Amino acid sequence: MSNLGGGWNMTVLVGAFFVAALLAAPLFRLCGRAAFLVLALVPGAGFLVSLAQLPRILSGGDDWLEHFNWLPALNLQVVFLMDPLAWLLSLLVTGIGALVFVYCARYFAADEPRLARFAGVLMAFAGMMYGLILADEMLLLFIFWEGTTVFSYLLIGQYNSRQQSRRAALQALVVTTAGGLAMLVGVILLTVVMGTGRISTIVDIGYAVGINDGLVITAVMLILVGAVSKSALIPFHFWLPGAMAAPTPVSAYLHAAAMVKAGIYLVLRLAPGFHAMPGWTAVLLALGITTMLMGGWQALRQFDLKLVLAFGTVSQLGFLMIVSAFGTRDITLAATTLLLAHGLFKSALFLIVGIIDHRAGTRDLRKLSGYGARSKGLFVAALIAAASMAGVPPLFGFVAKEAVYTTLLEDGTKAGAIAVIGIFLGSVLTVAYSARFVWGAFATKPGVEPIEPARESPLFMSVPYLLAALTVLAGLASSWLDPVIASWSSRLAGGAEKPYYLALWHGLEPALLLSAGNLALGLAMFWFARQVSVFQAAMPDGIDFHGLYRRSITGLEASAAYVTARTQRGSMPFYQGVIYIVFIGSMSAALLLNDTWPSGIALADNALQIIVAAAIIMAALAATRAQKRFAAVVIVGISGYMMVAFFALQGAPDLALTQVLVETITIVVFVLVLRRLPARIGNSSGRLSPSLRGLIAAVFGIMMMLLVFVAFGARTAAPISEAFPFLAYEYGHGKNVVNVTLVDIRAWDTLGELSVVVAAATGVASLIFVRGREGRLQRFQSHRPDSFAARHRPVEDELFSPMRTTDDGPSTDTKRSAWLLAGRALAPKNRSILLEVLVRLLFHPILVFSVYLLFAGHNLPGGGFAAGLVAGMALVARYLAAGRHELAEAAPIDAGLLLGLGLALAAGTSLGGFLWGSVFFESAYWSTELPVLGYVSFGTSTIFDIGVYFVVVGLMLDILRSLGAGVDRHQEADEERLAESLSRDEHAGPDTTELHAILGRMDDVEVDGPAGGSRL
């Protein structure tokens, strides 16, 4: 790790945002909405840390750099870099972020629902944005990039009971994710072509004629698709006005100061290296100018104050994209100045709209009247912010616009001239909608009821006041701010012989005349607003991009419905047939194109393998002839157990142990499911005849043999697995190659597989618990039978209770624990005392054995996966012996908690690699001599293995809880309803409709589904 130019750790700063997000819920329970003020300390601290770097920035010292090895084999690193550009953006992200949190403390009511969730998501978004601007590695930047997309989706959809909010959130997610996918392809391609993922290095290399021209241009253009979609430029602009369904603080932060700036930031970052690339300037100028004009034109047509600002933001983003594209010293100075100015005045305006909406209950400018006279302070703040947006001196927005005009005019290129013309026309519209906003929000309108005065919290009002004051101060102090803002652009080449500098007054020059022309023409458009409105109504609407999006989504949904209706027939043989046929077709094509074939054939290594193969073949053939479901399951299980013998013959005891456990668990799961199905297998009348099924099966089997045959012959290089024994022993400190590979050498793969296991557990539970994922099972209560079987249990069941001896002789004591406590909840016909005794005796030894396998697995057969399956089998035994109540007694813990804890332990060891090394999942080992135990060695990979153990046990508990206990409850409910139906008034007769429904759930099954399947 390198840390240059600063004593603070950027990694800790980024992590602090996410820690604060996790702490949001307890903070709100403790402090109420005042927790926003506590959370504001996190971005506030980030702002102070950035501000403390000012002397280093001004002195031109080394950049603040931190890097950690992530995947060294792929040359991937976690790299954080705070250079002057990232430093400027960090001030914007953290400073306005802290103010928005303060504003939220009074914007939301104390009883606002889901407020802690909102605060946590907003804090996580701020962390993602902070990490994005600091990331100096392409894939790392992309991770933060997509993180902002996900959290913005959650923030926009905060009011999820409103259809408008849900649609707006989904629209923003779809559009920005589509751009992000294109960007991901470009990121990978550019990284491969450049030979590095370091953004600063890639920009230094830049575009060079004749060196992979086509690949570089393609990669950069794909990255620009992501930047354009994130910053809401045409044709992706429509998602931003729709996102105004979010709470106003979200609009002020995400859509004025943070998220929409991500695309602008990326263009600013890449422009110095790629602005000379063919297509770069032309594409960005065309999109920027079109977006600026369209956004300003649409802003003049809106009546909702937030929509006026939203389309104004779209227009300003086009403005920013124009000046960010050039990549030269002077124009980049103007671009960064405009970026900061826009963050100040636009966030202030959004927060002012929130105050107006808070007080008046409306944002419709046609219903607002007299607000300026009743809130003079707010009117002055809004006037300052809007004037800065329009470019009125002496405000910061004026300084930025003067810089843009002057530097573009001095550029002397055709692109610069086109940019000046487009910006001039767009700025006229900016002045017009700025005046429209101030008039609509604060003017007194005839015939409209004035807004009644209301007292607002000084804390609530102080945030927009502060932002407006900073807009004024930044304009007046622009000469002093020039060295600070120019700290980034001064590193770039290009520009005039005499570098441009920021100042409030540059004398009488063309830029001043252009600004004056903007103000005059814009105010004239506002003055003749009625005539402009009539002209707008007469003009064609142009391309409706939002309509195109809606039609695209509708067409996609219709296509999905069409395909689903013709493929999802409810027939398992049909599904399998389609899968097998597609596989056969694709693999046949691959085999025809193959030109590498093995030189010889070895049928077997020894005679025992032939015996095992023959047993597997006979079991497979017997399974096709089985008439009962249970028999079919057992026969299929024979194939699995034969694989155990095969692994053992090959000298793979770990695989053999795992296979026997998996096969046993699989049989149990099948049996649990089959309880609700008829015993016999019905004859299918589906479209796939037995002969056709047999043909498909035979061809599929032959194809698999050919693929395995070709795969073995296609390998020419030495497999990497040959190095695993050495790596496992020398670096993993273990003799069991399989286990060390899972928890150390290929820990990333195992972590991904654990995530799939957790998802599978959730899926299994969702099939049973439709209304909600249940936690713990109900434990046994001997005084209150709760099942149909228990209520109809004869008195003789007391004989199964243990005996005690008294002075009067032996007697039955029903208060003492039975061998298995919940066994008494079962009817006598379903109980086995021998099984209950055996389970009681073996349960704890099996658990101890599972723990032994867990810790012995590093050097001997075992490991977390096998150990978890053994523990799961112990739970299976408890359930089979005494039912779901006994399972609750054996494991009185939420399965989801075990799954989450296991995944957290496994993932935590990846982060912990930085505590004892410098690479994700790097393991550390300690060894010592203990008085009794002797030599003891412990590795952090064992913690990972414990996580695997918890995940597997949680999965087993979830399966038993769902397919076992859940199905039990459903069946008992059906039995109770059947009993009630049969015991009704015999004169009225049973309710045959309800009876048939119950019997249908209990015994009726469709083999091939609605499309002609037989009913049993």
Side-chain angles (χ1 to χ4, degrees):
M1 180 185 72
S2 299
N3 191 346
L4 304 176
W8 289 82
N9 193 314
M10 285 183 285
T11 308
V12 173
L13 287 174
V14 173
F17 284 88
F18 300 105
V19 172
L22 295 175
L23 295 177
L27 277 175
F28 273 84
R29 286 194 293 269
L30 184 65
C31 309
R33 65 176 182 172
F36 277 114
L37 300 177
V38 180
L39 293 174
L41 297 175
V42 177
F47 179 79
L48 294 177
V49 169
S50 295
L51 204 59
Q53 304 302 312
L54 180 59
R56 180 178 58 83
I57 295 294
L58 292 176
S59 65
D62 293 330
D63 294 334
W64 188 4
L65 174 68
E66 293 175 7
H67 63 86
F68 308 95
N69 290 324
W70 176 11
L71 293 176
L74 299 178
N75 198 27
L76 293 179
Q77 295 179 322
V78 175
V79 185
F80 291 123
L81 173 69
M82 184 177 282
D83 59 4
L85 180 60
W87 178 77
L88 289 171
L89 267 293
S90 71
L91 291 176
L92 196 66
V93 169
T94 57
I96 294 181
L99 293 177
V100 167
F101 272 96
V102 172
Y103 179 89
C104 287
R106 293 298 178 266
Y107 175 82
F108 293 103
D111 57 350
E112 180 85 15
R114 305 169 75 236
L115 204 54
R117 172 190 176 276
F118 171 82
V121 174
L122 183 60
M123 181 62 69
F125 171 85
M128 286 293 178
M129 192 65 205
Y130 190 61
L132 187 154
I133 61 177
L134 295 177
D136 191 44
E137 206 280 332
M138 276 291 186
L139 284 179
L140 181 65
L141 179 139
F142 179 78
I143 291 172
F144 286 115
W145 185 281
E146 289 303 291
T148 61
T149 297
V150 172
F151 287 114
S152 67
Y153 162 76
L154 298 174
L155 290 170
I156 296 169
Q158 168 66 14
Y159 302 127
N160 58 4
S161 60
R162 305 175 186 173
Q163 187 182 51
Q164 181 186 6
S165 295
R166 297 196 302 271
R167 285 184 175 177
L170 184 60
Q171 178 177 272
L173 179 69
V174 170
V175 173
T176 54
T177 300
L181 291 175
M183 177 180 169
L184 176 60
V185 177
V187 163
I188 295 174
L189 182 57
L190 189 62
T191 300
V192 173
V193 172
M194 293 294 185
T196 178
R198 290 286 299 272
I199 299 174
S200 54
T201 305
I202 289 174
V203 173
D204 289 340
I205 297 172
Y207 174 78
V209 179
I211 304 178
N212 297 315
D213 303 54
L215 292 177
V216 172
I217 293 173
T218 302
V220 173
M221 287 299 172
L222 288 171
I223 292 174
L224 288 182
V225 172
V228 167
S229 65
K230 184 76 79 172
S231 288
L233 268 66
I234 281 180
F236 307 106
H237 65 284
F238 56 88
W239 74 261
L240 180 58
M244 293 302 109
T248 298
V250 174
S251 303
Y253 189 44
L254 276 69
H255 307 136
M259 178 178 170
V260 294
K261 296 294 196 308
I264 306 297
Y265 165 75
L266 186 57
V267 171
L268 279 171
R269 178 65 73 186
L270 297 178
F274 297 96
H275 68 275
M277 186 187 78
W280 172 280
T281 304
V283 169
L284 294 181
L285 277 185
L287 294 177
I289 292 173
T290 307
T291 303
M292 186 178 186
L293 295 175
M294 184 281 306
W297 185 256
Q298 290 293 329
L300 292 174
R301 305 180 68 172
Q302 306 304 316
F303 295 101
D304 187 312
L305 291 178
K306 279 184 75 173
L307 287 180
V308 173
L309 295 179
F311 280 101
T313 300
V314 171
S315 178
Q316 293 290 298
L317 289 170
F319 187 7
L320 282 164
M321 189 62 75
I322 295 169
V323 291
S324 299
F326 284 84
T328 57
R329 188 265 180 204
D330 289 348
I331 301 178
T332 301
L333 171 61
T336 51
T337 306
L338 181 63
L339 185 70
L340 297 174
H342 179 266
L344 291 176
F345 64 65
K346 190 55 67 73
S347 56
L349 289 172
F350 271 115
L351 297 180
I352 288 169
V353 170
I355 293 174
I356 295 173
D357 192 14
H358 203 263
R359 181 179 297 182
T362 182
R363 300 192 303 262
D364 192 332
L365 56 84
R366 295 167 295 187
K367 299 178 182 179
L368 293 169
S369 179
Y371 202 84
R374 289 165 172 78
S375 184
K376 294 182 176 60
L378 199 64
F379 168 68
V380 171
L383 184 62
I384 291 172
S388 181
M389 181 166 61
V392 177
L395 304 172
F396 199 30
F398 167 76
V399 174
K401 186 176 291 186
E402 287 283 286
V404 169
Y405 278 142
T406 301
T407 55
L408 286 175
L409 289 171
E410 292 178 351
D411 182 65
T413 63
K414 183 185 295 185
I418 294 173
V420 169
I421 295 172
I423 290 171
F424 179 83
L425 295 176
S427 296
V428 171
L429 298 173
T430 301
V431 174
Y433 67 70
S434 299
R436 175 181 172 84
F437 173 84
V438 176
W439 171 83
F442 296 98
T444 299
K445 305 177 183 69
V448 181
E449 188 71 21
I451 300 298
E452 293 298 326
R455 181 177 179 81
E456 297 287 0
S457 166
L459 188 65
F460 191 34
M461 306 288 283
S462 64
V463 177
Y465 288 170
L466 177 59
L467 291 170
L470 289 174
T471 299
V472 177
L473 292 174
L476 296 175
S478 55
S479 297
W480 288 274
L481 291 176
D482 176 73
V484 177
I485 301 176
S487 57
W488 164 250
S489 57
S490 61
R491 298 184 175 191
L492 308 181
E497 294 182 4
K498 184 179 180 181
Y500 181 82
Y501 62 93
L502 298 178
L504 186 58
W505 176 252
H506 280 278
L508 294 175
E509 56 180 4
L512 184 61
L513 296 177
L514 290 174
S515 294
N518 289 154
L519 293 174
L521 292 176
L523 292 174
M525 283 192 70
F526 170 71
W527 184 262
F528 296 101
R530 186 179 300 275
Q531 290 80 358
V532 172
S533 178
V534 172
F535 177 74
Q536 285 184 314
M539 291 289 290
D541 292 335
I543 301 175
D544 183 5
F545 290 99
H546 181 265
L548 288 175
Y549 165 80
R550 291 302 312 161
R551 287 192 290 273
S552 299
I553 296 298
T554 302
L556 184 62
E557 291 173 348
S559 300
Y562 178 86
V563 173
T564 301
R566 283 154 181 78
T567 58
Q568 301 297 312
R569 301 172 176 271
S571 170
M572 183 61 71
F574 177 81
Y575 298 153
Q576 288 181 304
V578 171
I579 293 172
Y580 294 153
I581 290 172
V582 171
F583 178 86
I584 291 169
S586 58
M587 292 300 103
S588 297
L591 286 175
L592 290 175
L593 297 174
N594 175 63
D595 57 359
T596 304
W597 295 87
S599 57
I601 300 176
L603 293 178
D605 294 332
N606 53 62
L608 292 177
Q609 289 183 347
I610 297 177
I611 295 174
V612 170
I616 293 175
I617 294 172
M618 287 188 292
L621 293 174
T624 64
R625 308 299 300 168
Q627 298 297 313
K628 292 187 177 183
R629 300 179 190 276
F630 181 78
V633 170
V634 173
I635 293 172
V636 170
I638 293 175
S639 299
Y641 287 118
M642 287 298 99
M643 287 302 300
V644 175
F646 178 79
F647 290 143
L649 290 173
Q650 293 300 109
D654 254 295
L655 295 179
L657 174 62
T658 303
Q659 178 66 26
V660 71
L661 294 172
V662 169
E663 199 60 46
T664 304
I665 296 297
T666 302
I667 292 176
V668 170
V669 170
F670 270 114
V671 171
L672 293 178
V673 175
L674 293 181
R675 290 179 304 162
R676 295 282 276 171
L677 297 177
R680 299 189 63 81
I681 300 176
N683 295 320
S684 172
S685 59
R687 297 185 179 182
L688 296 178
S689 63
S691 58
L692 180 58
R693 295 183 190 186
L695 177 62
I696 294 174
V699 175
F700 181 84
I702 294 171
M703 185 64 64
M704 286 300 302
M705 287 192 296
L706 286 174
L707 287 175
V708 173
F709 178 67
V710 172
F712 277 115
R715 172 172 287 168
T716 57
I720 191 175
S721 58
E722 292 182 357
F724 279 16
F726 171 78
L727 295 174
Y729 188 75
E730 295 297 330
Y731 295 98
H733 297 263
K735 299 177 182 178
N736 185 346
V737 179
V738 174
N739 185 253
V740 175
T741 299
L742 291 176
V743 301
D744 194 329
I745 299 175
R746 300 189 64 178
W748 276 109
D749 290 349
T750 307
L751 182 63
E753 291 160 1
L754 291 180
S755 303
V756 173
V757 168
V758 173
T762 303
V764 169
S766 66
L767 293 174
I768 304 299
F769 305 111
V770 179
R771 296 182 180 178
R773 198 178 194 278
E774 297 186 8
R776 297 182 178 88
L777 292 170
Q778 180 183 358
R779 299 182 68 175
F780 175 69
Q781 298 179 15
S782 59
H783 64 279
R784 183 176 60 83
D786 71 320
S787 68
F788 173 80
R791 286 197 293 273
H792 295 79
R793 183 174 60 248
V795 178
E796 288 81 3
D797 187 37
E798 293 183 1
L799 296 176
F800 294 106
S801 299
M803 305 294 292
R804 68 179 177 87
T805 303
T806 64
D807 294 338
D808 299 326
S811 65
T812 301
D813 184 359
T814 59
K815 295 183 180 180
R816 289 185 59 188
S817 297
W819 278 97
L820 293 180
L821 177 63
R824 288 173 288 172
L826 300 177
K829 64 179 182 179
N830 294 330
R831 294 186 67 182
S832 169
I833 299 304
L834 178 61
L835 180 60
E836 291 184 23
V837 172
L838 288 175
V839 168
R840 171 94 180 246
L841 293 175
L842 295 178
F843 177 74
H844 295 93
I846 292 175
L847 288 182
V848 172
F849 180 61
S850 76
V851 175
Y852 164 78
L853 288 177
L854 170 63
F855 289 101
H858 213 59
N859 294 294
L860 299 172
F865 188 78
L869 291 177
V870 170
M873 291 182 64
L875 296 176
V876 168
R878 292 285 290 264
Y879 167 74
L880 293 178
R884 70 173 187 272
H885 294 295
E886 188 62 35
L887 178 63
E889 295 296 328
I893 188 172
D894 186 358
L897 179 62
L898 280 177
L899 291 167
L901 177 61
L903 194 61
L905 282 175
T909 56
S910 70
L911 300 177
F914 290 126
L915 297 178
W916 45 76
S918 60
V919 180
F920 280 109
F921 281 122
E922 181 175 347
S923 299
Y925 297 88
W926 297 274
S927 59
T928 185
E929 289 284 345
L930 296 179
V932 177
L933 299 178
Y935 177 79
V936 175
S937 176
F938 179 82
T940 56
S941 57
T942 303
I943 302 175
F944 186 96
D945 220 8
I946 293 173
V948 175
Y949 179 80
F950 283 151
V951 168
V952 175
V953 174
L955 173 65
M956 293 301 305
L957 185 58
D958 227 0
I959 290 175
L960 291 173
R961 189 176 58 88
S962 304
L963 300 181
V967 173
D968 282 349
R969 279 198 290 266
H970 291 180
Q971 186 167 0
E972 288 171 5
D974 284 344
E975 289 174 350
E976 290 184 4
R977 293 186 61 189
L978 178 61
E980 292 172 1
S981 178
L982 294 174
S983 63
R984 287 178 183 171
D985 188 356
E986 59 182 1
H987 299 289
D991 186 344
T992 57
T993 301
E994 181 178 9
L995 181 60
H996 288 163
I998 297 170
L999 293 173
R1001 283 196 302 273
M1002 294 174 62
D1003 297 318
D1004 218 5
V1005 169
E1006 291 185 1
V1007 175
D1008 276 345
S1014 62
R1015 300 179 68 84
L1016 303 178

